[in-house]
Amino acid sequence: MGKKKSVVLTVLITIVLVVLCGIIAFPVFTIPGSNGVKKWNPTVLQYDLNSDFGGGYYTYYYPNGVITETDYEEDLLSGDIKAEDYVRYGDTDFYLSTDEDLKVVSEVAGENGAIEYVLNEDFQAAFNEAVAQVKARFAKKGFTEYRVSVVDGVALRVEIPDSENMENINSEENAAQVLSLFASVGKLTFQKNGETVSELKDEDADINDIISSVSSKMKYDQSYLKINFTSKGKDMLKTFKSESSSGSSATTLDLVLENSAGTGVHKLLSIQTGHINSNNNVEILPGNTEDGEIRYVETLSLLLNSLMNDGEIFIGESDVIFAFQNVSSQTDVYKFESVYRSNALNMLFIAVGVTLIVLLALAIVKMGGFGVVNLFTTLTYFVITTFCFAFITKGVLVVTMGTVLIFLLGLVLTNVFQARVYSAIKAEFALGKTIASSVKGGYKKTFWGMLDVYAVLLIGAVAALIGVAGLHMLAIQAIICVLTGAFCNLLWGRALNVILSSTNKNKYKFYRFVREEDDDE
């Protein structure tokens, strides 16, 4: 390769790598002229972090008729309940309602004929069914990490990661909306003036008789909820429009959750005549903050589909519908810090940066110009894996401590193989071969060994992806690192060596080689 051509290519590659590294790690700053609204966020701050690094939010879902010991004592003290209204559930911190209408406990005969209370089996079955519904909602929401944990068999603790760095919205508000909405379990129905519409008053009537589908849509960069109605539902909308325009009926048609714990009904959204299009379907933007409206509409759409498809959960053969108490987005959602605390991410970036600097400095000192080849190769590995983790797998994978370890292992392996290639070239040169022949022989002798190692690592990662439960995320990240490392060592590093070495006429100096006869002179 000609010197001029290699110089041009070297300059172009350098510019590209510098720009990409800047995109990855350039500090946060406010974009001029944006009045502080728009900020530059580097790639390293756009990762989907797991709760160990980014913290998150949590809340508890309590079934109707289940309260904590704290609430029991407060309500007892205030006179809102009587001691006989609740019974302690075993050795837990929960109290269960003895109200027969709630079907939470059953009476059994104890010793000496005394009445004892045990958890109603039908209630437990309904609770388990509700847990499955809640888990399915969070899975469909697309959180890369979430936890739905059963507490003492009668309550749920739900955790989601902090999404502030990923979504560019108010993460606390978004988390509160999701956690409060997804607690909704009950019977979905329409009401006018606080009464169920006539189309759904029959015992066999179902919300699916009215609504055919619900989805979230985008129009003119605005998110909205689209509800398609059945022929029966369209007739209901026609009647609603006619009555509303004449002033003889309600001006809103409310979609509510019946038998919601504590309130009887829980309004999810209100439909006005202006929301009804010419096809007698509904397009509505639920009231919400501008930045969070997209996520809110998606969440509401998932909830409505869940309620329609799964239906209400009855406790046994009774007409009692299982429900969780309403979660208040203002008071019942709590934030928890990351396991590694707030400075963990900064310390992690520093550690990775120091590792890069040390490896590259040693390479340049020991290998001269080939150390620069190693610099470019390592930066290429860094850029490719960083962008893959940030964007290709965004919304699918999260960055965990395992991710960091896999990345660093790949980084070290890339440098070790580069050092091995240099040693092989040096060994060939010691046999008296020319520089060109030594380089060719060095790469040839190390190629198959490196290929074997990467092949074994790739097979292991794929095997973990297919057959090891719980390691799918790390397996995909490992595959990314293995493929990137193989590309850098087997192809890109060799190409870089040709380009960079061609810029230097003195090949001995480039590789820091000295012939014995030249040294004697």
Side-chain angles (χ1 to χ4, degrees), residues 27-41:
V28 177
F29 68 92
T30 301
I31 298 176
S34 65
N35 296 322
V37 177
K38 297 182 179 179
K39 290 186 177 181
W40 164 262
N41 288 313

Side-chain angles (χ1 to χ4, degrees), residues 346-362:
N346 293 332
M347 297 300 295
L348 178 62
F349 293 152
I350 292 173
V352 172
V354 169
T355 302
L356 275 171
I357 293 172
V358 170
L359 288 174
L360 299 178
L362 286 174

Side-chain angles (χ1 to χ4, degrees), residues 79-306:
D80 293 336
I81 62 173
K82 298 178 181 179
E84 60 269 20
D85 292 340
Y86 284 84
V87 60
R88 191 177 191 123
Y89 181 48
D91 296 329
T92 71
D93 293 329
F94 296 107
Y95 280 77
L96 309 182
S97 174
T98 57
D99 188 342
E100 294 182 359
D101 293 336
L102 297 179
K103 307 294 183 183
V104 179
V105 295
S106 299
E107 295 183 1
V108 296
E111 296 180 2
N112 301 322
I115 296 177
E116 294 184 358
Y117 294 96
V118 296
L119 190 65
N120 188 308
E121 292 182 358
D122 292 333
F123 175 87
Q124 185 68 68
F127 174 77
N128 293 337
E129 187 177 345
V131 172
Q133 283 192 18
V134 170
K135 287 183 176 179
R137 292 170 186 175
F138 281 97
K140 291 178 181 178
K141 177 65 177 173
F143 285 114
T144 47
E145 182 191 44
Y146 66 91
R147 294 187 180 95
V148 179
S149 306
V150 177
V151 182
D152 293 329
V154 291
L156 288 182
R157 177 186 167 99
V158 184
E159 296 180 9
I160 58 176
D162 186 354
S163 59
E164 184 173 7
N165 292 329
M166 298 95 75
E167 304 296 350
N168 193 30
I169 63 174
N170 185 322
S171 59
E172 185 171 359
E173 181 178 338
N174 184 48
Q177 290 167 353
V178 173
L179 292 173
S180 59
L181 280 175
F182 280 178
S184 302
V185 177
K187 181 179 180 180
L188 197 61
T189 188
F190 279 103
Q191 286 188 350
K192 287 190 299 186
N193 292 326
E195 293 186 4
T196 302
V197 295
S198 58
E199 291 81 357
L200 293 176
K201 283 186 176 180
D202 292 340
E203 187 175 338
D204 296 332
D206 184 79
I207 190 65
N208 292 282
D209 298 333
I210 302 296
I211 298 177
S212 60
S213 66
V214 179
S215 59
S216 59
K217 301 289 185 179
M218 290 290 294
K219 181 187 293 185
Y220 308 122
D221 294 328
Q222 190 175 39
S223 178
Y224 67 94
L225 190 72
K226 184 173 183 179
I227 306 177
N228 292 321
F229 286 77
T230 63
S231 56
K232 183 177 181 180
K234 290 181 178 182
D235 290 340
M236 180 191 72
L237 292 179
K238 290 178 183 178
T239 301
F240 166 67
K241 285 195 297 184
S242 176
E243 293 177 348
S244 180
S245 61
S246 65
S248 60
S249 184
T251 57
T252 62
L253 186 63
D254 299 323
L255 187 60
V256 303
L257 198 63
E258 279 190 348
N259 204 31
S260 181
T263 61
V265 296
H266 176 53
K267 185 189 298 184
L268 296 176
L269 60 87
S270 294
I271 298 173
Q272 300 176 1
T273 55
H275 298 141
I276 305 173
N277 61 26
S278 57
N279 294 323
N280 283 315
N281 290 315
V282 169
E283 297 179 356
I284 179 174
L285 174 63
N288 197 51
T289 60
E290 182 178 353
D291 289 337
E293 65 187 21
I294 295 177
R295 292 294 169 185
Y296 178 75
V297 171
E298 289 179 355
T299 303
L300 186 56
S301 173
L302 286 172
L303 172 63
L304 294 180
N305 277 292
S306 173

